[in-house]
Amino acid sequence: MKTTDTAAPDPRTQVKKKNALTAGQKPAWTWIAVLVGALVLAGVVTAVLSGGFNWPGFVILTGVFYVIAMYIVTLVVENRRRATDGLWKNLVWGAFLVALLPLISVIWTVVGQGLPTLLANPNMLWVDMGGVTGASDQATVNEGAPLMGGFLHGLIGSVAITAIATLISVPIGLMASIYLVEYSRGGWFSKAITFFVDVMTGIPSIVAGLFAFAAVQLFITTFIGEGPAQLQMVKMGLTAAIALSVLMIPVVVRSTEEMLRVVPNELREASYALGVRKWRTILKVVLPTAMSGIASGVTLAIARVTGETAPILVTAGFAATVNWNVFSGWMTALPVYIYRQLVNPTAPAAAEPSALRAWAAALVLIIIVMVLNLIARIIAQAFAPKKTGR
């Protein structure tokens, strides 16, 4: 049997081919070298210009030097097209990091200021400010007495007011969105709804509070009567919930409308072809398909109003103790509690305890928003169309 000998490939030929394939490309470690050079140059320039080390200037100059140096290196080693592509990629990453810095800064500050206080005084979660006076805070500062008081009343008020506002806003916003997407034909009525929703999106929160106060006052004076007692009845949790619903409804309408428009018309037509009525198609096909986006929109609306202070000050007042009844009496929300603790300390001559309570309440408020976001994601996943494997 005749065999043919095959010559072994020449290593020099393989090296040449490899060099030909990688010619005109930056080494993988280029960005590290450029970053180190940018750090060194930024440190030198910052020290020369400011006479010392300046963190904000150092970070900004490092980013600027890195972007410029990477563009020049890519332009020299590769070509103009890749240099331009890398420039815009670095600018996009830089914009992302700049947008992320405020969020990280806020979370870092609130956690750093509020977490030690909350861990040292966990009773703040289940006590209110009843019985806490300036003398208590003076004793905390001067004598090292335990920190008195908490924000249970603000926590309960925020949850109750936001829950009532959500119950008012979500059905109204959902129904309006369904009408605009599924039933309207572009007439004057649907255009008017869209116009007023756009106007309500930018309405100041204090205006929403004044509107709710005036509306509830008109209702009480019309059906109950006029007088100091009736005017005192206007400030309650329900009035604050109406004010927050004015701010929530346009967000729910806009987000839900966009999600409903994303649902493919083929799904609707397939349901109609099977003889399913329109209302049932919307209920069983359209809404479950868009549920993920709808839940995100509702969460965004809740986050929009959770930190509002001005409308609650106008409509719910301020109380130092827990009020479980949203239909009677003044209530306190966490944002109002934080505002009052910082602006009007319990002991003006010893403001540190009030500041500590405010930071702890701010941390709890952020945690509430995060938990609501998590709940919305769970609901969206539970109601999303089920995927069947093959």
Side-chain angles (χ1 to χ4, degrees), residues 8-187:
D10 190 357
R12 292 175 296 178
T13 306
Q14 290 184 344
V15 172
K16 289 181 180 179
K17 289 182 178 179
K18 185 177 180 180
N19 292 338
L21 291 174
T22 59
Q25 295 184 6
K26 302 189 304 291
W29 47 265
T30 303
W31 70 273
I32 300 178
V34 172
L35 179 60
V36 172
L39 289 170
V40 174
L41 183 59
V44 172
V45 173
T46 303
V48 171
L49 293 180
S50 61
F53 191 77
N54 184 4
W55 269 109
F58 172 73
V59 172
I60 293 173
L61 288 178
T62 299
V64 172
F65 291 154
Y66 176 79
V67 171
I68 295 175
M70 281 298 296
Y71 176 78
I72 295 175
V73 170
T74 308
L75 183 63
V76 173
V77 177
E78 297 183 353
N79 52 53
R80 183 179 295 275
R81 180 177 61 84
R82 291 187 177 180
T84 304
D85 178 71
L87 173 64
W88 284 105
K89 184 183 296 184
N90 290 329
L91 290 177
V92 169
W93 274 103
F96 168 73
L97 294 176
V98 169
L100 201 61
L101 281 177
L103 176 62
I104 296 176
S105 176
V106 168
I107 294 177
W108 180 270
T109 303
V110 173
V111 172
Q113 296 284 346
L115 186 59
T117 303
L118 199 59
L119 292 178
N121 304 274
N123 61 312
M124 298 176 69
L125 292 169
W126 55 79
V127 298
D128 53 30
M129 293 296 291
V132 180
T133 62
S136 304
D137 287 355
Q138 289 278 8
T140 301
V141 174
N142 299 329
E143 303 172 8
L147 182 64
M148 303 295 293
F151 45 83
L152 176 64
H153 55 308
L155 184 60
I156 292 174
S158 288
V159 173
I161 293 173
T162 305
I164 298 298
T166 303
L167 291 177
I168 297 173
S169 305
V170 172
I172 295 176
L174 189 60
M175 295 298 177
S177 303
I178 292 174
Y179 171 79
L180 292 175
V181 176
E182 304 293 338
Y183 291 97
S184 69
R185 295 292 184 267

Side-chain angles (χ1 to χ4, degrees), residues 17-382:
K17 289 182 178 179
K18 185 177 180 180
N19 292 338
L21 291 174
T22 59
Q25 295 184 6
K26 302 189 304 291
W29 47 265
T30 303
W31 70 273
I32 300 178
V34 172
L35 179 60
V36 172
L39 289 170
V40 174
L41 183 59
V44 172
V45 173
T46 303
V48 171
L49 293 180
S50 61
F53 191 77
N54 184 4
W55 269 109
F58 172 73
V59 172
I60 293 173
L61 288 178
T62 299
V64 172
F65 291 154
Y66 176 79
V67 171
I68 295 175
M70 281 298 296
Y71 176 78
I72 295 175
V73 170
T74 308
L75 183 63
V76 173
V77 177
E78 297 183 353
N79 52 53
R80 183 179 295 275
R81 180 177 61 84
R82 291 187 177 180
T84 304
D85 178 71
L87 173 64
W88 284 105
K89 184 183 296 184
N90 290 329
L91 290 177
V92 169
W93 274 103
F96 168 73
L97 294 176
V98 169
L100 201 61
L101 281 177
L103 176 62
I104 296 176
S105 176
V106 168
I107 294 177
W108 180 270
T109 303
V110 173
V111 172
Q113 296 284 346
L115 186 59
T117 303
L118 199 59
L119 292 178
N121 304 274
N123 61 312
M124 298 176 69
L125 292 169
W126 55 79
V127 298
D128 53 30
M129 293 296 291
V132 180
T133 62
S136 304
D137 287 355
Q138 289 278 8
T140 301
V141 174
N142 299 329
E143 303 172 8
L147 182 64
M148 303 295 293
F151 45 83
L152 176 64
H153 55 308
L155 184 60
I156 292 174
S158 288
V159 173
I161 293 173
T162 305
I164 298 298
T166 303
L167 291 177
I168 297 173
S169 305
V170 172
I172 295 176
L174 189 60
M175 295 298 177
S177 303
I178 292 174
Y179 171 79
L180 292 175
V181 176
E182 304 293 338
Y183 291 97
S184 69
R185 295 292 184 267
W188 66 269
F189 186 62
S190 61
K191 292 181 179 178
I193 294 177
T194 304
F195 173 76
F196 285 113
V197 166
D198 292 338
V199 172
M200 290 174 63
T201 303
I203 190 173
S205 59
I206 187 65
V207 176
L210 292 174
F211 164 77
F213 187 91
V216 175
Q217 182 181 6
L218 178 62
F219 178 85
I220 290 177
T221 55
T222 302
F223 294 97
I224 299 179
E226 297 183 5
Q230 283 72 19
L231 292 177
Q232 192 73 13
M233 293 171 56
V234 176
K235 283 194 174 185
M236 56 182 174
L238 179 62
T239 310
I242 294 173
L244 296 186
S245 67
V246 174
L247 301 174
M248 289 182 64
I249 288 174
V251 180
V252 175
V253 171
R254 270 316 196 185
S255 58
T256 305
E257 181 184 359
E258 294 300 325
M259 291 301 103
L260 293 179
R261 293 189 187 280
V262 170
V263 178
N265 285 327
E266 289 78 4
L267 295 178
R268 299 179 177 88
E269 293 170 357
S271 179
Y272 298 152
L274 295 175
V276 181
R277 294 179 179 272
K278 188 168 186 174
W279 69 269
R280 195 170 183 84
T281 298
I282 296 172
L283 186 62
K284 296 295 185 179
V285 177
V286 178
L287 289 180
T289 305
M291 183 57 66
S292 177
I294 293 173
S296 299
V298 172
T299 305
L300 180 64
I302 294 174
R304 163 80 168 84
V305 302
T306 300
E308 290 292 344
T309 305
I312 300 179
L313 270 174
V314 174
T315 55
F318 179 79
T321 56
V322 175
N323 178 14
W324 295 90
N325 189 2
V326 296
F327 300 100
S328 177
W330 289 19
M331 296 189 73
T332 299
L334 276 179
V336 177
Y337 175 84
I338 297 169
Y339 170 78
R340 291 295 295 264
Q341 287 293 307
L342 290 176
V343 176
N344 299 316
T346 306
E352 183 181 355
S354 295
L356 293 176
R357 287 190 288 262
W359 282 113
L363 176 60
V364 172
L365 186 61
I366 291 179
I367 293 174
I368 290 174
V369 174
M370 291 182 177
V371 170
L372 289 174
N373 192 13
L374 179 62
I375 292 174
R377 290 180 179 273
I378 295 174
I379 294 175
Q381 187 175 5

